[in-house]
Amino acid sequence: MASQETPKTCKVILADTIAKKLLAEVKETLTSIEGPSRKPTLVAFLANDDPSAGQYADWSKKTCEENGFNFDLRKVDKEALEEAVVAANHDDAVDGILVYYPIWVNNQPQDRYIQETVALSKDVEGLCHTHLFNMYHNVRFLDPPSNLKKSLLPCTPLAIVKALEHLQIYNPILAYGNRLFGKTITVINRSEVNGRPLAALLANDGATVYSVDITGVQVFTRGSGIRAPRHQVHDKEGWELKDALPLSDVVISGVPSEAFKVPTDLIRDGAVCINFSSYRNFDGPAIKEKASIYVPSTGKVTIAVLLRNLVRLIANRPRPEGTTEDAQKARTEAFKDG
């Protein structure tokens, strides 16, 4: 009797696989809202010399053009950026605005000012105050109590949420908003653009989240039995990464350093590991012997989510004259699953 081959321990899931499903949903929703002929326009501003931003712009252009969107990359001097963004805010031909950050090195307040300059109705990245306030306070709509216009979420954190949904880490049996209850997740990165919003999103969905950066560890949670309506944050005095990793069902890393590697020996057997850094934060061969699922990058998922957010902005607009009942229904039901 021939011996059966032991199946591989780890399943590697590529960003392409996750993105394709999202893009199909984006195209279908856009057609139902706008019809087959109109091509929305996304304007992207590049005011830095970061090569990874240039690569992201190239991916965005390719994905936009393949999926029925116009992509207009505008390279501007950072001192002229504010004026350029304001002009795009007032241009009816522009449906969404994207800015590649960081712009000013070691000057987060200046970058934050630009984020606030982008009009709410064109903030495809979900980084203006209204969107961020709603995210942190677990408010999911812009127009309560009607609840017809969904608030946008930042692209990279939402991309990771969509990856977790694809991997079936979210439990669809549980109520919407509680589907990570019982999961413990470590997020290595606490930047204001990616890591902190991601920890908040996951905790608001019911997870216990250990947020780790060079200053230490914080825990994001909705408390015992997830009874609180939104997450709370507490410092874990004396804790380090080594204390959080062995407890975690999911490990998500986004450290922007080639030198950093998540210590494989501290990761629990069968954990799900996701890398959203432009560098490889996990030791590829070693992690495949330890993790049950490994996602080596999420960049293409982020671009798919960017277009998803753009379609949501269009759906949130006031009803245009001549809109059919079917198109209006499609607007109100666009991406109703979150």
Side-chain angles (χ1 to χ4, degrees), residues 210-267:
Y210 294 111
S211 173
V212 183
D213 74 354
I214 57 174
T215 66
V217 180
Q218 294 180 331
V219 60
F220 289 55
T221 174
R222 279 170 51 200
S224 177
I226 57 171
R227 293 184 180 89
R230 57 170 292 237
H231 76 281
Q232 298 174 345
V233 183
H234 303 282
D235 290 324
K236 297 292 290 183
E237 296 292 343
W239 275 47
E240 300 175 18
L241 178 60
K242 65 181 177 62
D243 299 295
L245 285 179
L247 305 176
S248 299
D249 305 297
V250 180
V251 179
I252 303 168
S253 187
V255 178
S257 168
E258 192 170 5
F260 177 79
K261 289 288 184 287
V262 179
T264 307
D265 60 315
L266 295 178
I267 295 173

Side-chain angles (χ1 to χ4, degrees), residues 142-162:
L142 292 169
D143 60 339
S146 300
N147 293 347
L148 297 175
K149 298 180 180 181
K150 287 291 292 287
S151 192
L152 267 67
L153 298 170
C155 292
T156 296
L158 180 56
I160 294 166
V161 167
K162 291 301 171 186

Side-chain angles (χ1 to χ4, degrees), residues 260-264 280-289 294:
F260 177 79
K261 289 288 184 287
V262 179
T264 307
R280 293 294 172 92
N281 285 176
F282 295 91
D283 181 336
I287 202 63
K288 292 173 188 176
E289 299 298 322
Y294 173 46

